[in-house]
Amino acid sequence: MRLTDFTLPELGENISAGDVLRVLVKPGDTIQKEQAVLELETDKATIEVPSSVAGQVKEVKVKAGDKVKVGQAILSVEDGAGAKAKADEVPPKQDSAQSEPAKAEAAPAKVGGEGGKSEPAKAEAAPAKSGGESGKPADQKVPDVQPDIQAADQSTKPDKEGVRDPSIGPQAQSGGDDDMPARGRNVVDISRGARAPEPAAVAAASPELPPAPAAPSVRRMARELGVDINQVAGSGEGGRISIDDVKAHAKRLVEGGGRSGGAAAEPLPDFSRFGQVERQPMRAVRRKTADHLSAAWATIPHVTQCDLADVTALEELRKKYAKQVEAAGGNLTVTSIAVKIVAAALKVFPQFNASIDLAASEIIVKKYVNIGVAVDTDRGLLVPVIKDADRKNIVQLSVELAQLSEKARTRKIALEEMQGGCFSISNLGGIGGTYFTPIVNAPEVAILGISRARMEPVYNKESGQFVPRFMLPLSLSYDHRAIDGADGIRFLRWVCEALEQPFLLALNG
């Protein structure tokens, strides 16, 4: 029977790993292709991972709580296929005098023993050669480890996890070919993470590492960003490096340089000296949020401008039409109204609907309008994206926002529903507060923060008296590399005026 490893497939754009929530199969189960075998939490969503192989599960290699990467082996399946073919490929047994030197030539071996015999490990990558002298195994030249691994990589197509290496694991025992499959399960990972052994090992094994597996366009991107391609860990099959891998590596370098000039973080004190503590692992969403916002704060020169919008008239209209929107399946909220207003503002101020490409020294202006809305969940902050917000009315936006928010909170939101945003909105008004500094959700260049509206006395020039008005605090953060301060306040005032005069939105489109 042939054992096949099922490895974690590609999960989506910029997603290289996830946390195992549940393993849905156990050893002995028979599974079919496309059957869900794993429930995985990524930094963006919770998904069920379907199997790409069928057969009987022999070994499950992960458990709940493990962090697994794309390409990592999840389970081993005995599919029963290819057993006869494999048996036909096994060469006839040879006597000890003929086969042992050939085995030593096929793989690194421990040389020695009585009577000139050696105990080399068998290698699946290279078939044994017949012939040779049995009396001189001690003179057999043992090839270096690194060239053997490189040769195996070039001569055979590796699995996602790597290739079999007879130099890893138990020594081959004396006997026939019947025990080859058992020894063949010893696996060495030749992904990018394993390409860089200790300096001494490199010097002894090979004068230089094999070329990094990357396309010319990826190498060009690395040169433009000043990144050594050989230092980038590839997430693709066989350690292949993508443009996203290069960008992620550059981001890590920037993060390190952005904190005290690249100095290591100050070590934490022993908090248990002051009282009882509990260490809790960071969940995938929290880790991603920490990494993403740290990079944004370190690389983007933030400016935050604040203003107040008089939403007294808007609040009356919101209450008046709330039932109508509710009947359609949505909630008429300040957030859904703000989505419509911001979508219109991006048409007036296109520099806010852009991204910066420093590598190409260009500003990418988008011709579509997708608005992300931050949603508070028990797993952390998620940002579903409403696509083509400029083409939808407020009722449609309210319904879609309610649906996306529910999906985010119940862990049913898809990855594509949180991608492609142009501008983000974060509304903390339901909790409280006045103003805050929202962090730009890179690669976007601006984000609008909404706080809690409240009744405040506002001076009326016509009557000469203070009158109560329902005032909404707004905070606009933007990337100063793409947006000037004057444009920032113009944008914010446009939003305020659209909130204060709802007819203005219909008038200007």
Side-chain angles (χ1 to χ4, degrees):
M1 294 295 185
R2 183 177 64 185
L3 284 179
T4 302
D5 280 348
F6 167 63
T7 58
L8 188 65
E10 294 288 342
L11 302 173
E13 183 182 1
N14 297 329
I15 298 178
S16 59
D19 294 332
V20 178
L21 294 181
R22 287 192 304 157
V23 179
L24 305 178
V25 296
K26 61 184 182 298
D29 289 352
T30 299
I31 61 173
Q32 305 297 328
K33 288 186 177 181
E34 303 304 323
Q35 177 179 337
V37 296
L38 197 68
E39 189 174 284
L40 197 70
E41 180 186 64
T42 71
D43 50 31
K44 296 184 176 179
T46 299
I47 57 177
E48 288 187 344
V49 179
S51 174
S52 60
V53 297
Q56 187 179 46
V57 178
K58 303 302 291 184
E59 180 184 2
V60 177
K61 302 185 177 184
V62 298
K63 62 183 183 301
D66 286 355
K67 184 176 180 64
V68 294
K69 298 181 178 180
V70 171
Q72 180 176 335
I74 303 300
L75 49 85
S76 295
V77 174
E78 186 177 63
D79 59 9
K84 184 178 183 303
K86 186 174 181 69
D88 293 340
E89 292 174 1
V90 176
K93 292 185 180 181
Q94 299 172 340
D95 59 40
S96 172
Q98 290 178 326
S99 62
E100 287 175 359
K103 297 174 190 172
E105 187 174 354
K110 178 179 178 182
V111 181
E114 295 181 2
K117 293 183 179 181
S118 63
E119 296 181 352
K122 300 178 182 179
E124 289 186 354
K129 298 180 181 179
S130 61
E133 298 181 7
S134 61
K136 299 181 180 180
D139 296 333
Q140 181 73 34
K141 182 178 180 180
V142 181
D144 292 333
V145 175
Q146 182 69 22
D148 272 1
I149 295 178
Q150 183 179 354
D153 188 26
Q154 295 173 348
S155 62
T156 64
K157 182 178 181 180
D159 297 332
K160 290 185 179 180
E161 271 300 284
V163 297
R164 304 182 187 279
D165 187 343
S167 66
I168 306 296
Q171 272 192 334
Q173 303 294 327
S174 60
D177 291 338
D178 295 338
D179 58 350
M180 285 183 68
R183 288 194 300 274
R185 294 173 193 154
N186 298 321
V187 176
V188 58
D189 185 356
I190 61 165
S191 66
R192 289 290 298 163
R195 291 181 72 255
E198 294 296 326
V202 174
S206 176
E208 60 181 17
L209 287 171
S217 60
V218 177
R219 294 179 179 276
R220 183 171 62 252
M221 172 65 74
R223 289 194 301 270
E224 291 173 349
L225 295 178
V227 170
D228 181 0
I229 192 68
N230 294 301
Q231 300 299 320
V232 179
S235 60
E237 183 175 353
R240 190 161 187 82
I241 302 170
S242 67
I243 287 179
D244 288 337
D245 295 329
V246 173
K247 290 180 178 178
H249 184 80
K251 184 176 77 172
R252 286 192 293 270
L253 295 177
V254 170
E255 288 179 28
R259 292 188 296 267
S260 304
E266 184 177 348
L268 295 174
D270 181 8
F271 296 110
S272 62
R273 293 190 299 115
F274 314 113
Q276 186 177 0
V277 298
E278 177 186 1
R279 284 187 171 268
Q280 299 177 346
M282 293 179 71
R283 302 189 68 167
V285 173
R286 177 57 56 194
R287 284 199 305 268
K288 180 63 176 179
T289 301
D291 291 343
H292 183 67
L293 295 183
S294 295
W297 188 252
T299 59
I300 296 176
H302 280 68
V303 176
T304 302
Q305 291 178 327
C306 305
D307 206 343
L308 277 170
D310 184 346
V311 294
T312 308
L314 180 67
E315 182 64 13
E316 293 176 359
L317 291 173
R318 190 189 69 81
K319 290 179 179 179
K320 180 179 179 180
Y321 294 104
K323 294 292 184 181
Q324 180 179 332
V325 177
E326 187 176 342
N331 296 312
L332 185 56
T333 63
V334 172
T335 305
S336 59
I337 297 172
V339 169
K340 182 61 178 177
I341 291 174
V342 166
L346 293 180
K347 295 294 189 69
V348 181
F349 302 91
Q351 65 268 43
F352 283 78
N353 190 13
S355 292
I356 297 177
D357 187 351
L358 289 179
S361 298
E362 294 176 344
I363 294 179
I364 303 169
V365 180
K366 300 154 192 172
K367 302 302 182 181
Y368 55 90
V369 178
N370 299 337
I371 307 296
V373 179
V375 177
D376 183 29
T377 75
D378 60 355
R379 296 186 298 142
L381 189 67
L382 298 178
V383 186
V385 176
I386 299 177
K387 307 294 175 59
D388 299 319
D390 57 320
R391 302 180 184 178
K392 299 171 182 175
N393 60 42
I394 294 178
V395 176
Q396 293 172 320
L397 293 172
S398 299
V399 172
E400 186 171 346
L401 178 58
Q403 293 172 345
L404 288 173
S405 299
E406 181 63 19
K407 284 183 178 181
R409 294 189 179 101
T410 57
R411 305 186 180 190
K412 295 180 180 179
I413 193 162
L415 296 177
E416 57 268 17
E417 293 176 308
M418 295 190 292
Q419 298 173 343
C422 304
F423 186 103
S424 295
I425 296 175
S426 178
N427 188 347
L428 300 179
I431 302 173
T434 53
Y435 300 99
F436 63 102
T437 304
I439 298 178
V440 174
N441 185 20
E444 299 166 14
V445 294
I447 180 173
L448 179 67
I450 304 175
S451 298
R452 172 173 287 180
R454 66 190 66 200
M455 280 293 181
E456 295 184 8
V458 177
Y459 182 73
N460 188 310
K461 293 181 180 180
E462 296 179 359
S463 64
Q465 296 179 348
F466 284 93
V467 293
R469 305 298 291 178
F470 203 50
M471 306 301 291
L472 180 67
L474 300 176
S475 306
L476 175 70
S477 290
Y478 54 86
D479 187 338
H480 211 350
R481 297 173 300 178
I483 299 167
D484 295 329
D487 288 336
I489 196 60
R490 289 188 188 104
F491 180 93
L492 187 55
R493 279 312 308 161
W494 196 98
V495 171
C496 287
E497 290 172 5
L499 289 167
E500 292 171 346
Q501 305 174 50
F503 181 70
L504 181 66
L505 181 61
L507 185 65
N508 293 333

